Amino acid sequence: MSQSPGRKQENHKISRELFVLTYGALVAQLCKDYEKDEDVNTCLDRMGYSIGVRLIDDFLARSAVKKCRSYSETADMIAQVAFKMYLGVTPTVSCRSAVGNEFSLILDKNPLVDFVEELPAERASLCYCNLLCGVIRGALEMVHLAAEVTFLQDRLKGDAVTEIGITFLRRPEDRKHKR
């Protein structure tokens, strides 16, 4: 099929509501498939990791960002560019360590939980949005930044905010190549 020269190619984007509802159905199905919350959390993290490994190419191509020179710049890039680009929100970044390798992304609003009021009592240890941790970890690994990514606070569990912790596992001097 040919496209007329004066007509712009349409961007087909999935609606946010459809994505959030589909994600909710995915988590619900995983809860049916696995008895333990830890198994659901692991599965969500693995899925997110696979997404992050592939998503980084799209992110780098669409955002045209330059190489980050510090962990602080990397955390800011994740919050101000990646979250805005893919989820439409901009988390606040705060440094949690004097060394400068631990950061928190604090989300006042988490779009993945728009239609979720609270977790059932029997699913108290479920990390509903653990997919996000895997996405961040997978994307960082593809740019050679090993990191541990975990939920520190979750509004679905009664906390005031949703907070994702990122701990970079290597010191900056470890990243330099030895000759």
Side-chain angles (χ1 to χ4, degrees), residues 19-55:
F19 173 71
V20 171
L21 289 170
T22 303
Y23 182 74
L26 168 74
V27 174
Q29 185 61 50
L30 289 173
C31 288
K32 288 178 185 175
D33 293 346
Y34 296 102
E35 289 180 26
K36 296 180 187 174
D37 290 345
E38 293 76 26
D39 294 337
V40 176
N41 294 343
T42 300
C43 189
L44 287 170
D45 182 73
R46 265 195 323 243
M47 288 176 173
Y49 178 84
S50 295
I51 292 168
V53 163
R54 289 166 182 78
L55 195 63

mmCIF file of all heavy atoms in Angstrom, residues 19-55:
data_model
loop_
_atom_site.group_PDB
_atom_site.id
_atom_site.type_symbol
_atom_site.label_atom_id
_atom_site.label_comp_id
_atom_site.label_asym_id
_atom_site.label_seq_id
_atom_site.Cartn_x
_atom_site.Cartn_y
_atom_site.Cartn_z
ATOM 1 N N PHE A 19 -3.849 -0.118 28.210
ATOM 2 C CA PHE A 19 -2.602 -0.672 28.731
ATOM 3 C C PHE A 19 -2.732 -0.993 30.215
ATOM 4 O O PHE A 19 -2.355 -2.070 30.662
ATOM 5 C CB PHE A 19 -1.437 0.301 28.501
ATOM 6 C CG PHE A 19 -0.166 -0.141 29.161
ATOM 7 C CD1 PHE A 19 0.542 -1.234 28.673
ATOM 8 C CD2 PHE A 19 0.320 0.523 30.285
ATOM 9 C CE1 PHE A 19 1.711 -1.650 29.291
ATOM 10 C CE2 PHE A 19 1.483 0.109 30.906
ATOM 11 C CZ PHE A 19 2.184 -0.979 30.412
ATOM 12 N N VAL A 20 -3.275 -0.066 30.995
ATOM 13 C CA VAL A 20 -3.421 -0.259 32.441
ATOM 14 C C VAL A 20 -4.365 -1.424 32.741
ATOM 15 O O VAL A 20 -4.086 -2.250 33.622
ATOM 16 C CB VAL A 20 -3.895 1.052 33.117
ATOM 17 C CG1 VAL A 20 -4.262 0.826 34.569
ATOM 18 C CG2 VAL A 20 -2.812 2.120 33.002
ATOM 19 N N LEU A 21 -5.460 -1.518 32.015
ATOM 20 C CA LEU A 21 -6.393 -2.626 32.216
ATOM 21 C C LEU A 21 -5.773 -3.967 31.811
ATOM 22 O O LEU A 21 -5.962 -4.979 32.486
ATOM 23 C CB LEU A 21 -7.687 -2.387 31.441
ATOM 24 C CG LEU A 21 -8.575 -1.268 31.996
ATOM 25 C CD1 LEU A 21 -9.701 -0.948 31.024
ATOM 26 C CD2 LEU A 21 -9.127 -1.643 33.360
ATOM 27 N N THR A 22 -5.027 -3.968 30.723
ATOM 28 C CA THR A 22 -4.355 -5.188 30.284
ATOM 29 C C THR A 22 -3.309 -5.616 31.304
ATOM 30 O O THR A 22 -3.179 -6.800 31.619
ATOM 31 C CB THR A 22 -3.705 -4.984 28.905
ATOM 32 O OG1 THR A 22 -4.710 -4.567 27.983
ATOM 33 C CG2 THR A 22 -3.040 -6.251 28.404
ATOM 34 N N TYR A 23 -2.570 -4.661 31.837
ATOM 35 C CA TYR A 23 -1.578 -4.973 32.870
ATOM 36 C C TYR A 23 -2.272 -5.563 34.102
ATOM 37 O O TYR A 23 -1.801 -6.543 34.672
ATOM 38 C CB TYR A 23 -0.766 -3.731 33.258
ATOM 39 C CG TYR A 23 0.281 -4.049 34.280
ATOM 40 C CD1 TYR A 23 1.430 -4.753 33.926
ATOM 41 C CD2 TYR A 23 0.121 -3.684 35.620
ATOM 42 C CE1 TYR A 23 2.384 -5.073 34.875
ATOM 43 C CE2 TYR A 23 1.075 -4.010 36.563
ATOM 44 C CZ TYR A 23 2.209 -4.701 36.182
ATOM 45 O OH TYR A 23 3.163 -5.039 37.120
ATOM 46 N N GLY A 24 -3.383 -4.987 34.505
ATOM 47 C CA GLY A 24 -4.144 -5.508 35.633
ATOM 48 C C GLY A 24 -4.603 -6.934 35.396
ATOM 49 O O GLY A 24 -4.544 -7.789 36.292
ATOM 50 N N ALA A 25 -5.050 -7.227 34.175
ATOM 51 C CA ALA A 25 -5.470 -8.587 33.837
ATOM 52 C C ALA A 25 -4.281 -9.548 33.877
ATOM 53 O O ALA A 25 -4.418 -10.695 34.321
ATOM 54 C CB ALA A 25 -6.119 -8.603 32.455
ATOM 55 N N LEU A 26 -3.117 -9.083 33.434
ATOM 56 C CA LEU A 26 -1.904 -9.898 33.491
ATOM 57 C C LEU A 26 -1.561 -10.258 34.934
ATOM 58 O O LEU A 26 -1.313 -11.420 35.258
ATOM 59 C CB LEU A 26 -0.734 -9.161 32.840
ATOM 60 C CG LEU A 26 0.644 -9.779 33.083
ATOM 61 C CD1 LEU A 26 0.809 -11.053 32.262
ATOM 62 C CD2 LEU A 26 1.736 -8.783 32.763
ATOM 63 N N VAL A 27 -1.562 -9.260 35.812
ATOM 64 C CA VAL A 27 -1.236 -9.506 37.214
ATOM 65 C C VAL A 27 -2.270 -10.434 37.846
ATOM 66 O O VAL A 27 -1.924 -11.363 38.582
ATOM 67 C CB VAL A 27 -1.120 -8.182 38.010
ATOM 68 C CG1 VAL A 27 -0.918 -8.447 39.495
ATOM 69 C CG2 VAL A 27 0.030 -7.332 37.467
ATOM 70 N N ALA A 28 -3.540 -10.228 37.526
ATOM 71 C CA ALA A 28 -4.598 -11.094 38.055
ATOM 72 C C ALA A 28 -4.387 -12.541 37.604
ATOM 73 O O ALA A 28 -4.542 -13.480 38.404
ATOM 74 C CB ALA A 28 -5.969 -10.589 37.612
ATOM 75 N N GLN A 29 -4.022 -12.744 36.354
ATOM 76 C CA GLN A 29 -3.779 -14.095 35.853
ATOM 77 C C GLN A 29 -2.575 -14.729 36.530
ATOM 78 O O GLN A 29 -2.594 -15.908 36.875
ATOM 79 C CB GLN A 29 -3.592 -14.087 34.332
ATOM 80 C CG GLN A 29 -3.457 -15.473 33.731
ATOM 81 C CD GLN A 29 -4.699 -16.327 33.968
ATOM 82 O OE1 GLN A 29 -5.813 -15.897 33.699
ATOM 83 N NE2 GLN A 29 -4.509 -17.550 34.452
ATOM 84 N N LEU A 30 -1.529 -13.941 36.732
ATOM 85 C CA LEU A 30 -0.344 -14.462 37.425
ATOM 86 C C LEU A 30 -0.688 -14.866 38.859
ATOM 87 O O LEU A 30 -0.179 -15.868 39.367
ATOM 88 C CB LEU A 30 0.792 -13.435 37.416
ATOM 89 C CG LEU A 30 1.469 -13.190 36.072
ATOM 90 C CD1 LEU A 30 2.455 -12.042 36.175
ATOM 91 C CD2 LEU A 30 2.149 -14.451 35.557
ATOM 92 N N CYS A 31 -1.560 -14.099 39.494
ATOM 93 C CA CYS A 31 -1.994 -14.437 40.857
ATOM 94 C C CYS A 31 -2.770 -15.753 40.875
ATOM 95 O O CYS A 31 -2.705 -16.501 41.850
ATOM 96 C CB CYS A 31 -2.827 -13.314 41.455
ATOM 97 S SG CYS A 31 -1.854 -11.857 41.889
ATOM 98 N N LYS A 32 -3.496 -16.025 39.796
ATOM 99 C CA LYS A 32 -4.207 -17.306 39.697
ATOM 100 C C LYS A 32 -3.233 -18.453 39.426
ATOM 101 O O LYS A 32 -3.412 -19.556 39.913
ATOM 102 C CB LYS A 32 -5.250 -17.264 38.580
ATOM 103 C CG LYS A 32 -6.447 -16.408 38.900
ATOM 104 C CD LYS A 32 -7.403 -16.374 37.724
ATOM 105 C CE LYS A 32 -8.549 -15.412 38.003
ATOM 106 N NZ LYS A 32 -9.431 -15.273 36.837
ATOM 107 N N ASP A 33 -2.202 -18.170 38.626
ATOM 108 C CA ASP A 33 -1.239 -19.199 38.230
ATOM 109 C C ASP A 33 -0.261 -19.568 39.343
ATOM 110 O O ASP A 33 0.220 -20.696 39.392
ATOM 111 C CB ASP A 33 -0.448 -18.747 37.002
ATOM 112 C CG ASP A 33 -1.304 -18.647 35.753
ATOM 113 O OD1 ASP A 33 -2.441 -19.165 35.758
ATOM 114 O OD2 ASP A 33 -0.830 -18.048 34.767
ATOM 115 N N TYR A 34 0.069 -18.599 40.197
ATOM 116 C CA TYR A 34 1.059 -18.829 41.247
ATOM 117 C C TYR A 34 0.420 -18.616 42.617
ATOM 118 O O TYR A 34 -0.267 -17.626 42.832
ATOM 119 C CB TYR A 34 2.245 -17.862 41.102
ATOM 120 C CG TYR A 34 3.025 -18.051 39.826
ATOM 121 C CD1 TYR A 34 2.844 -17.187 38.750
ATOM 122 C CD2 TYR A 34 3.954 -19.076 39.702
ATOM 123 C CE1 TYR A 34 3.563 -17.339 37.575
ATOM 124 C CE2 TYR A 34 4.684 -19.231 38.535
ATOM 125 C CZ TYR A 34 4.478 -18.367 37.476
ATOM 126 O OH TYR A 34 5.202 -18.522 36.317
ATOM 127 N N GLU A 35 0.697 -19.517 43.521
ATOM 128 C CA GLU A 35 0.151 -19.398 44.877
ATOM 129 C C GLU A 35 0.886 -18.333 45.689
ATOM 130 O O GLU A 35 0.276 -17.588 46.435
ATOM 131 C CB GLU A 35 0.249 -20.743 45.604
ATOM 132 C CG GLU A 35 -0.706 -21.780 45.076
ATOM 133 C CD GLU A 35 -0.591 -23.090 45.820
ATOM 134 O OE1 GLU A 35 -0.169 -23.089 46.990
ATOM 135 O OE2 GLU A 35 -0.933 -24.122 45.226
ATOM 136 N N LYS A 36 2.204 -18.285 45.544
ATOM 137 C CA LYS A 36 3.023 -17.389 46.362
ATOM 138 C C LYS A 36 3.226 -16.040 45.672
ATOM 139 O O LYS A 36 3.512 -15.980 44.474
ATOM 140 C CB LYS A 36 4.394 -18.007 46.631
ATOM 141 C CG LYS A 36 4.361 -19.273 47.428
ATOM 142 C CD LYS A 36 5.775 -19.773 47.615
ATOM 143 C CE LYS A 36 5.807 -21.126 48.271
ATOM 144 N NZ LYS A 36 7.187 -21.651 48.300
ATOM 145 N N ASP A 37 3.115 -14.979 46.466
ATOM 146 C CA ASP A 37 3.360 -13.632 45.945
ATOM 147 C C ASP A 37 4.782 -13.488 45.419
ATOM 148 O O ASP A 37 5.022 -12.786 44.436
ATOM 149 C CB ASP A 37 3.116 -12.578 47.035
ATOM 150 C CG ASP A 37 1.651 -12.437 47.378
ATOM 151 O OD1 ASP A 37 0.803 -12.928 46.611
ATOM 152 O OD2 ASP A 37 1.359 -11.828 48.426
ATOM 153 N N GLU A 38 5.732 -14.140 46.074
ATOM 154 C CA GLU A 38 7.133 -14.051 45.657
ATOM 155 C C GLU A 38 7.309 -14.569 44.232
ATOM 156 O O GLU A 38 8.106 -14.033 43.461
ATOM 157 C CB GLU A 38 8.041 -14.829 46.615
ATOM 158 C CG GLU A 38 8.125 -14.246 48.005
ATOM 159 C CD GLU A 38 6.886 -14.535 48.868
ATOM 160 O OE1 GLU A 38 6.177 -15.546 48.628
ATOM 161 O OE2 GLU A 38 6.620 -13.723 49.773
ATOM 162 N N ASP A 39 6.554 -15.624 43.881
ATOM 163 C CA ASP A 39 6.634 -16.161 42.526
ATOM 164 C C ASP A 39 6.048 -15.180 41.513
ATOM 165 O O ASP A 39 6.593 -15.015 40.415
ATOM 166 C CB ASP A 39 5.898 -17.499 42.432
ATOM 167 C CG ASP A 39 6.563 -18.590 43.260
ATOM 168 O OD1 ASP A 39 7.770 -18.477 43.556
ATOM 169 O OD2 ASP A 39 5.859 -19.559 43.623
ATOM 170 N N VAL A 40 4.958 -14.518 41.870
ATOM 171 C CA VAL A 40 4.363 -13.503 40.993
ATOM 172 C C VAL A 40 5.342 -12.341 40.844
ATOM 173 O O VAL A 40 5.580 -11.861 39.725
ATOM 174 C CB VAL A 40 3.003 -13.004 41.544
ATOM 175 C CG1 VAL A 40 2.460 -11.873 40.675
ATOM 176 C CG2 VAL A 40 2.003 -14.144 41.633
ATOM 177 N N ASN A 41 5.926 -11.896 41.956
ATOM 178 C CA ASN A 41 6.893 -10.795 41.913
ATOM 179 C C ASN A 41 8.075 -11.137 41.005
ATOM 180 O O ASN A 41 8.522 -10.311 40.204
ATOM 181 C CB ASN A 41 7.395 -10.468 43.317
ATOM 182 C CG ASN A 41 6.307 -9.913 44.207
ATOM 183 O OD1 ASN A 41 5.268 -9.467 43.741
ATOM 184 N ND2 ASN A 41 6.543 -9.963 45.505
ATOM 185 N N THR A 42 8.583 -12.360 41.117
ATOM 186 C CA THR A 42 9.705 -12.802 40.291
ATOM 187 C C THR A 42 9.318 -12.826 38.818
ATOM 188 O O THR A 42 10.085 -12.385 37.959
ATOM 189 C CB THR A 42 10.185 -14.196 40.742
ATOM 190 O OG1 THR A 42 10.592 -14.113 42.108
ATOM 191 C CG2 THR A 42 11.332 -14.703 39.892
ATOM 192 N N CYS A 43 8.124 -13.323 38.534
ATOM 193 C CA CYS A 43 7.651 -13.389 37.153
ATOM 194 C C CYS A 43 7.502 -11.981 36.557
ATOM 195 O O CYS A 43 7.921 -11.730 35.427
ATOM 196 C CB CYS A 43 6.332 -14.148 37.093
ATOM 197 S SG CYS A 43 5.803 -14.518 35.420
ATOM 198 N N LEU A 44 6.929 -11.065 37.312
ATOM 199 C CA LEU A 44 6.782 -9.680 36.842
ATOM 200 C C LEU A 44 8.143 -9.042 36.606
ATOM 201 O O LEU A 44 8.346 -8.332 35.611
ATOM 202 C CB LEU A 44 5.975 -8.857 37.846
ATOM 203 C CG LEU A 44 4.481 -9.143 37.899
ATOM 204 C CD1 LEU A 44 3.847 -8.434 39.094
ATOM 205 C CD2 LEU A 44 3.792 -8.746 36.606
ATOM 206 N N ASP A 45 9.093 -9.302 37.503
ATOM 207 C CA ASP A 45 10.438 -8.754 37.353
ATOM 208 C C ASP A 45 11.096 -9.304 36.092
ATOM 209 O O ASP A 45 11.710 -8.557 35.330
ATOM 210 C CB ASP A 45 11.291 -9.069 38.585
ATOM 211 C CG ASP A 45 12.675 -8.460 38.478
ATOM 212 O OD1 ASP A 45 12.793 -7.222 38.611
ATOM 213 O OD2 ASP A 45 13.646 -9.217 38.225
ATOM 214 N N ARG A 46 10.971 -10.599 35.854
ATOM 215 C CA ARG A 46 11.549 -11.218 34.650
ATOM 216 C C ARG A 46 10.926 -10.654 33.381
ATOM 217 O O ARG A 46 11.625 -10.366 32.399
ATOM 218 C CB ARG A 46 11.348 -12.732 34.687
ATOM 219 C CG ARG A 46 12.501 -13.502 35.244
ATOM 220 C CD ARG A 46 12.377 -14.976 34.918
ATOM 221 N NE ARG A 46 10.997 -15.422 34.967
ATOM 222 C CZ ARG A 46 10.516 -16.318 35.805
ATOM 223 N NH1 ARG A 46 11.293 -16.894 36.673
ATOM 224 N NH2 ARG A 46 9.246 -16.657 35.775
ATOM 225 N N MET A 47 9.599 -10.501 33.391
ATOM 226 C CA MET A 47 8.922 -9.917 32.225
ATOM 227 C C MET A 47 9.419 -8.489 31.984
ATOM 228 O O MET A 47 9.701 -8.091 30.850
ATOM 229 C CB MET A 47 7.415 -9.894 32.429
ATOM 230 C CG MET A 47 6.753 -11.210 32.347
ATOM 231 S SD MET A 47 4.987 -10.970 32.722
ATOM 232 C CE MET A 47 4.370 -12.580 32.360
ATOM 233 N N GLY A 48 9.493 -7.717 33.056
ATOM 234 C CA GLY A 48 9.969 -6.340 32.946
ATOM 235 C C GLY A 48 11.390 -6.272 32.432
ATOM 236 O O GLY A 48 11.726 -5.427 31.594
ATOM 237 N N TYR A 49 12.236 -7.176 32.931
ATOM 238 C CA TYR A 49 13.624 -7.222 32.484
ATOM 239 C C TYR A 49 13.680 -7.431 30.968
ATOM 240 O O TYR A 49 14.409 -6.730 30.269
ATOM 241 C CB TYR A 49 14.369 -8.340 33.216
ATOM 242 C CG TYR A 49 15.797 -8.493 32.782
ATOM 243 C CD1 TYR A 49 16.802 -7.704 33.337
ATOM 244 C CD2 TYR A 49 16.154 -9.415 31.804
ATOM 245 C CE1 TYR A 49 18.118 -7.839 32.927
ATOM 246 C CE2 TYR A 49 17.464 -9.548 31.387
ATOM 247 C CZ TYR A 49 18.445 -8.760 31.950
ATOM 248 O OH TYR A 49 19.743 -8.892 31.544
ATOM 249 N N SER A 50 12.900 -8.389 30.465
ATOM 250 C CA SER A 50 12.869 -8.655 29.018
ATOM 251 C C SER A 50 12.390 -7.431 28.242
ATOM 252 O O SER A 50 12.906 -7.133 27.162
ATOM 253 C CB SER A 50 11.949 -9.838 28.715
ATOM 254 O OG SER A 50 12.470 -11.012 29.273
ATOM 255 N N ILE A 51 11.431 -6.724 28.787
ATOM 256 C CA ILE A 51 10.941 -5.498 28.143
ATOM 257 C C ILE A 51 12.036 -4.432 28.147
ATOM 258 O O ILE A 51 12.293 -3.780 27.135
ATOM 259 C CB ILE A 51 9.667 -4.984 28.842
ATOM 260 C CG1 ILE A 51 8.509 -5.958 28.612
ATOM 261 C CG2 ILE A 51 9.301 -3.578 28.351
ATOM 262 C CD1 ILE A 51 7.295 -5.686 29.492
ATOM 263 N N GLY A 52 12.690 -4.252 29.288
ATOM 264 C CA GLY A 52 13.744 -3.240 29.410
ATOM 265 C C GLY A 52 14.903 -3.471 28.460
ATOM 266 O O GLY A 52 15.450 -2.531 27.875
ATOM 267 N N VAL A 53 15.283 -4.738 28.285
ATOM 268 C CA VAL A 53 16.373 -5.096 27.380
ATOM 269 C C VAL A 53 16.047 -4.650 25.959
ATOM 270 O O VAL A 53 16.915 -4.181 25.225
ATOM 271 C CB VAL A 53 16.633 -6.622 27.449
ATOM 272 C CG1 VAL A 53 17.448 -7.121 26.276
ATOM 273 C CG2 VAL A 53 17.300 -6.979 28.771
ATOM 274 N N ARG A 54 14.788 -4.736 25.580
ATOM 275 C CA ARG A 54 14.382 -4.346 24.224
ATOM 276 C C ARG A 54 14.010 -2.862 24.127
ATOM 277 O O ARG A 54 14.201 -2.228 23.099
ATOM 278 C CB ARG A 54 13.208 -5.204 23.775
ATOM 279 C CG ARG A 54 13.613 -6.635 23.504
ATOM 280 C CD ARG A 54 12.429 -7.561 23.400
ATOM 281 N NE ARG A 54 12.814 -8.942 23.184
ATOM 282 C CZ ARG A 54 13.269 -9.762 24.124
ATOM 283 N NH1 ARG A 54 13.413 -9.332 25.355
ATOM 284 N NH2 ARG A 54 13.587 -11.011 23.852
ATOM 285 N N LEU A 55 13.490 -2.321 25.198
ATOM 286 C CA LEU A 55 13.005 -0.945 25.197
ATOM 287 C C LEU A 55 14.129 0.085 25.138
ATOM 288 O O LEU A 55 13.942 1.188 24.636
ATOM 289 C CB LEU A 55 12.149 -0.708 26.446
ATOM 290 C CG LEU A 55 11.267 0.521 26.483
ATOM 291 C CD1 LEU A 55 10.222 0.459 25.382
ATOM 292 C CD2 LEU A 55 10.590 0.624 27.835
#
